[in-house]
Amino acid sequence: MGPTDVLKKIEMAVGVSCLGLMFLIICANVFMRYVMTAPIFWAEEVSNFLFVWAGFLSCAHILADDRHIRVTLFVGSLKPTLQRWLDLFMTVILTIMFGSFIGPSLTAMKSLTVTAALQIPEYLPYAILPTAMFLCFSHSVIRIVRICRTIAHAGGETAS
């Protein structure tokens, strides 16, 4: 099992846990609000944070599987060698972008205060931003290595 597989399993486990917990909290709040007429004051805030965590983790997971949305009309018409080089170029751009977001997101977290309902430090729920950027950066670096191996292997086949 490679590093991507380990990261994907963690992302999936945490993301599914977030969605499951969010579902339970929303159901409990509906019951408390309409049956007991005593809503859970923090339920909306926590379910919003859990939803955001699940969303960001799914972005990293999808990136690892290379299942993100793309238009392939132009790329599909290129020769396989050019497709691999273009894939490498685009992945390098993504890696630079994700890497450049890590520092500023960590810096921005220093200015956060406390959440409205729970009064916990905001950096706890907002930690998903640098975490997701790091995960996406890691997946992109791993992908660059894979693409380079594919290019090197394909180059060796055409040379012989």
Side-chain angles (χ1 to χ4, degrees):
M1 182 181 312
T4 297
D5 297 324
V6 172
L7 288 175
K8 283 173 36 182
K9 284 189 183 297
I10 293 169
E11 292 159 2
M12 182 65 79
V14 175
V16 167
S17 298
C18 287
L19 287 176
L21 189 56
M22 182 182 77
F23 176 76
L24 292 174
I25 290 169
I26 290 171
C27 288
N29 193 36
V30 167
F31 175 79
M32 292 300 293
R33 178 181 303 270
Y34 296 109
V35 176
M36 307 301 287
T37 63
I40 304 169
F41 74 95
W42 49 264
E44 185 177 351
E45 181 176 275
V46 171
S47 63
N48 285 340
F49 288 138
L50 290 170
F51 182 71
V52 169
W53 269 71
F56 272 97
L57 289 170
S58 68
C59 289
H61 189 81
I62 293 298
L63 183 68
D65 282 343
D66 194 33
R67 292 187 295 164
H68 47 86
I69 296 172
R70 64 177 80 172
V71 178
T72 58
L73 179 66
F74 171 72
V75 176
S77 66
L78 297 174
K79 294 180 181 179
T81 305
L82 286 175
Q83 288 180 8
R84 286 189 285 274
W85 281 102
L86 185 59
D87 192 17
L88 177 63
F89 176 72
M90 296 306 294
T91 305
V92 167
I93 289 174
L94 281 175
T95 306
I96 292 168
M97 183 194 72
F98 290 131
S100 70
F101 287 156
I102 296 170
S105 63
L106 288 169
T107 302
M109 288 180 58
K110 293 176 185 173
S111 64
L112 299 173
T113 57
V114 294
T115 62
L118 290 177
Q119 295 295 302
I120 61 171
E122 282 183 325
Y123 66 80
L124 294 173
Y126 286 98
I128 189 57
L129 189 57
T131 302
M133 292 303 111
F134 177 76
L135 288 169
C136 289
F137 175 82
S138 301
H139 288 306
S140 296
V141 168
I142 293 167
R143 181 159 174 75
I144 287 172
V145 170
R146 283 189 186 146
I147 295 168
C148 287
R149 286 182 182 160
T150 302
I151 289 172
H153 179 72
E157 286 179 359
T158 56
S160 29

